[in-house]
Amino acid sequence: MTKNKGNKMFEKKKRKRKKQSDVLFVDATNKSVERAISEFKRKVKNSNLLKDLRDREFYEKPSVARRRRKKLRLQKVRSINLDD
């Protein structure tokens, strides 16, 4: 008999994983190379891929991440309140 099998309080929560973005590519069959490169750069910029890479460059402790997110939340709330 396992302990706490039916007790919902002790069940582990499943974490939702972020969906991996699709592979960025540009079809350059009927385009010049320069145009294809600029289109690819635009797609990378719009997908926030570089931002994610910079964020993952160094390990961030979960407590520091929570503090950073809380600080950003408070800044947003303050800016919304100042606009009203």
Side-chain angles (χ1 to χ4, degrees):
M1 187 163 109
T2 60
K3 292 182 180 180
N4 303 323
K5 186 174 183 180
N7 196 342
K8 289 185 179 182
M9 191 169 89
F10 293 104
E11 288 180 7
K12 279 190 171 183
K13 293 182 180 179
K14 291 185 180 180
R15 291 186 180 186
K16 294 181 181 177
R17 287 190 170 191
K18 290 184 179 180
K19 181 185 173 191
Q20 290 291 341
S21 62
D22 296 331
V23 178
L24 297 176
F25 71 95
V26 176
D27 185 22
T29 52
N30 296 328
K31 299 176 189 169
S32 68
V33 175
E34 291 82 15
R35 184 175 174 117
I37 291 173
S38 65
E39 189 175 329
F40 180 74
K41 285 182 179 180
R42 187 170 45 249
K43 283 187 176 187
V44 169
K45 185 179 178 183
N46 290 340
S47 70
N48 292 328
L49 181 66
L50 293 177
K51 181 182 178 292
D52 290 340
L53 290 175
R54 271 187 245 114
D55 289 344
R56 294 169 187 247
E57 186 175 2
F58 302 104
Y59 178 75
E60 185 178 27
K61 289 172 48 176
S63 60
V64 175
R66 279 193 300 270
R67 270 186 258 139
R68 182 179 49 80
R69 288 193 305 260
K70 183 178 179 181
K71 187 176 179 181
L72 286 173
R73 234 182 4 252
L74 289 173
Q75 286 177 350
K76 286 181 183 179
V77 168
R78 287 182 184 141
S79 68
I80 290 172
N81 288 341
L82 289 177
D83 291 343
D84 290 342

